[in-house]
Amino acid sequence: GCIGIAVFAQVSNARVDFGEIEPRHFPTVEKSLRENGIGASRARMIQTDVFSNITDRYDVVLANPPYIDSSVQNPDLVQEPPEALYAEDGGFKLIEKTLRAVREHLNPGGQLWLEHDPGQSARILSLATELGLIATTHTDQFGTERYTVAYCRT
């Protein structure tokens, strides 16, 4: 939910749909909305596995799926729910699912902003190209490849 909350802080007229696979995370998002003075009418919680239960189209999809390889458990992250961090297929399972489905959920000119591990950049760019998306990977404030922006060819 922190990415959606950050959007509200920067875009005064934004409406944000928060997609979570686990409804138990909704109260945390709702608390963040209240604490940041964001009206509930501007947000919607959707229980979803990537895009299941979602039929809308968006100008921007911001995705931070679990992308850590599930075979590599990090003891520094024990306070986080595992389903929020780890994914199968080297951490790529939900990234691939997102890329394969996003075209059906973007408005014309819409963009996907996808957070990922630096080691996944080449695979993301390859799959995006295969799917007819134009994608570029960008670095974070530390110079590490951290996210990819993709959009549909016109």
Side-chain angles (χ1 to χ4, degrees), residues 6-144:
V7 168
F8 281 127
Q10 299 299 315
V11 184
S12 61
N13 62 341
R15 281 198 28 82
V16 175
D17 287 348
F18 291 87
E20 290 285 350
I21 194 166
E22 291 289 337
R24 69 181 177 177
H25 298 296
F26 292 166
T28 303
V29 174
E30 291 164 347
K31 178 182 176 199
S32 294
L33 291 168
R34 281 191 309 275
E35 289 177 351
N36 287 279
I38 300 162
S41 65
R42 295 178 55 209
R44 183 170 61 158
M45 309 304 156
I46 303 171
Q47 191 281 321
T48 181
D49 180 5
V50 182
F51 288 107
S52 67
N53 300 324
I54 296 176
T55 58
D56 292 347
R57 291 184 171 265
Y58 300 92
D59 295 326
V60 179
V61 172
L62 304 171
N64 182 14
Y67 58 78
I68 299 172
D69 185 344
S70 58
S71 69
V72 182
Q73 299 295 310
N74 184 336
D76 294 331
L77 301 174
V78 294
Q79 74 282 2
E80 298 290 335
E83 67 272 9
L85 301 173
Y86 301 104
E88 296 172 8
D89 189 16
F92 204 74
K93 181 178 179 180
L94 296 173
I95 290 172
E96 180 173 1
K97 194 170 185 177
T98 300
L99 286 168
R100 289 192 180 281
V102 75
R103 292 177 67 117
E104 300 303 315
H105 297 282
L106 288 175
N107 286 323
Q111 298 179 339
L112 165 68
W113 290 58
L114 177 69
E115 183 177 347
H116 56 81
D117 184 86
Q120 296 163 329
S121 298
R123 191 169 172 192
I124 289 169
L125 293 175
S126 176
L127 180 58
T129 300
E130 175 187 320
L131 296 171
L133 300 169
I134 298 170
T136 54
T137 297
H138 303 270
T139 58
D140 62 16
Q141 69 271 31
F142 304 109
T144 302

